[in-house]
Amino acid sequence: MTIVTSPSGPAANARPFLHGSELAAIGRVLATGQYGHGPETDAFEHDLASDLGVDDVVAVATGTAALHLALLAAGVGPGDEVVVPSLTFCASVQAIRATGAEPRFIDVDPDTLCVTAELVEAALAPATRAVMPVLYGGRAVDLTPIATQLAERDIAVVEDAAHAFGSRQGERRVGATGVLTCFSFDAIKPLTCGDGGAIVPRTPEEARRLRRARLLGIDAPREQRTAAVSYEVHELGFRYHLSTFHAAIGRVQLAGFPAVAARRQQLWCSYAAALADIPHATLVDLDIENTVPFNCVIRLPAAVRDAVHAQLHAAGIQAGVHYPPNHLQPAFTPWSRPLPATEAVAGEILSLPFHPDLTDDDIGQITTTLATALTDASTLPASQWGGR
């Protein structure tokens, strides 16, 4: 496996993992003259469906576009509510707002940073039209305990699996569990198209509607339109197609994905071993046996998290935070509500550099610097450590 490195270096928080044949794939597509949706996109969809063991996959321009179209396919619109954790990238919430619906923010389990069936069930209301579990870090979320209740109330599950391509829920792959699942293939995801996304539809009719919606509501594919004198626009649609360039990158990435998935799991376990002896640094559980990890997140005492973050950056280590809570964002103020667990962990979480280009030596350097930063912070009064 050949890795094409980038100038950002191993201490970058995240970066693409390239196999070396992506450029040739782009060049091959360039020579075809088909740059929008084309045969390469269709082939990528077929490859994804085969890999996941599902009947169909609809590729789109971004993970956000996938969420937007999936919500529309589920019938979500003005006057509806979508249950969603506040601890997610703001794209999850913007996709809900793009339908005219409103977010109903809920808390997460502090140990996993994911929602649970119990938290979702407690948030259901008469206006609930869909629930959007976010598979934080790549960890699957099991809503089967409330599946019957959701079905009886005609509440759709639109799974935000932006982090979770390759992960499993029990014996099944995420995306093959029978719910509307949305993936992201942006630059730093375990599988990248440069930018891209995909939806796993529930039925052939839903797949047809999604394909129409991603191409501005036009029913006929490009090859039919070029052979005809007209076409029909049937419904609201968007320019959400996945270009052949991005699909070509995705096909190369998918072919090499098993090695990438194994490497990510190995690196996460290396972090777990290195962090085990560092006081006050708690690794967020990802259920690593079933998860292809997107990131490596720890929890620190809230009083020192920001100081540790600053010290790591001063040492050239790009730690990050995934994510600021959305219920506290100015754009989403109308739907804010108290979420004590989310508000507590938001001040504690820190994402360590995580990508397959890291080495065990890099992880040793990062965790040693982290331990030093925590030791330096230990001069703060014990009362500020919050018991962690």
Side-chain angles (χ1 to χ4, degrees):
M1 178 183 296
T2 301
I3 301 170
V4 179
T5 59
S6 72
S8 54
N13 188 261
R15 58 184 288 185
F17 182 92
L18 304 179
H19 301 277
S21 51
E22 286 86 354
L23 280 175
I26 292 171
R28 175 172 48 80
V29 168
L30 188 65
T32 69
Q34 296 289 325
Y35 305 151
H37 178 100
E40 197 77 16
T41 314
D42 297 336
F44 182 49
E45 290 180 333
H46 179 271
D47 293 348
L48 284 171
S50 177
D51 183 76
L52 291 169
V54 297
D55 293 333
D56 205 353
V57 173
V58 179
V60 292
T62 66
T64 309
L67 290 170
H68 184 202
L69 290 187
L71 288 165
L72 292 175
V76 174
D80 294 329
E81 285 186 348
V82 178
V83 174
V84 63
S86 175
L87 193 70
T88 181
F89 187 45
C90 62
S92 307
V93 189
Q94 295 287 24
I96 295 168
R97 294 296 300 128
T99 69
E102 300 180 354
R104 182 168 178 79
F105 291 119
I106 61 171
D107 245 332
V108 292
D109 178 345
D111 292 331
T112 66
L113 305 185
C114 290
V115 301
T116 64
E118 292 76 16
L119 289 167
V120 170
E121 182 179 29
L124 298 179
T128 304
R129 188 75 175 92
V131 299
M132 184 185 287
V134 174
L135 281 55
Y136 188 98
R139 182 186 178 115
V141 173
D142 184 9
L143 296 185
T144 53
I146 59 171
T148 299
Q149 180 182 357
L150 295 175
E152 288 174 349
R153 297 180 57 173
D154 196 25
I155 297 172
V157 177
V158 177
E159 196 170 53
D160 183 343
H163 292 181
F165 187 81
S167 296
R168 294 185 176 275
Q169 181 180 318
E171 296 300 315
R172 294 182 293 177
R173 286 276 294 276
V174 169
T177 60
V179 301
L180 265 168
T181 300
C182 299
F183 294 112
S184 170
F185 304 133
D186 72 21
I188 61 171
K189 293 302 190 298
L191 188 153
T192 182
C193 291
D195 214 349
I199 310 162
V200 182
R202 296 169 293 185
T203 65
E205 172 59 20
E206 192 167 70
R208 190 184 70 81
R209 289 189 59 206
L210 287 166
R211 287 193 164 90
R212 189 161 67 185
R214 75 174 174 191
L215 288 174
L216 299 167
I218 301 171
D219 204 24
R222 180 190 294 271
E223 58 271 18
Q224 291 183 17
R225 300 201 307 273
T226 56
V229 296
S230 186
Y231 58 81
E232 293 182 349
V233 179
H234 286 265
E235 60 188 3
L236 177 68
F238 307 88
R239 196 167 179 83
Y240 279 173
H241 65 273
L242 183 73
S243 80
T244 53
F245 292 115
H246 293 99
I249 295 171
R251 294 187 73 194
V252 172
Q253 287 273 310
L254 187 61
F257 186 74
V260 172
R263 180 61 177 154
R264 283 182 168 266
Q265 288 181 313
Q266 178 188 12
L267 287 170
W268 194 92
C269 291
S270 294
Y271 260 127
L275 290 164
D277 296 327
I278 300 179
H280 309 296
T282 302
L283 186 61
V284 172
D285 181 19
L286 280 188
D287 182 22
I288 193 61
E289 292 295 324
N290 294 301
T291 300
V292 176
F294 165 67
N295 55 7
C296 180
V297 179
I298 58 174
R299 292 171 59 193
L300 305 175
V304 301
R305 193 278 306 270
D306 291 0
V308 170
H309 176 268
Q311 191 161 333
L312 290 175
H313 274 259
I317 297 169
Q318 297 179 15
V321 174
H322 296 90
Y323 300 96
N326 283 286
H327 73 289
L328 303 179
Q329 294 287 358
F332 309 131
T333 298
W335 306 284
S336 185
R337 55 196 296 258
L339 298 174
T342 297
E343 290 162 22
V345 299
E348 300 173 347
I349 53 176
L350 193 69
S351 301
L352 299 176
F354 191 79
H355 52 83
D357 215 17
L358 288 172
T359 66
D360 285 344
D361 285 345
D362 294 326
I363 290 175
Q365 178 187 351
I366 291 163
T367 53
T368 297
T369 307
L370 171 67
T372 299
L374 282 165
T375 298
D376 292 346
S378 67
T379 58
L380 293 171
S383 61
Q384 293 190 30
W385 284 74
R388 289 185 57 79

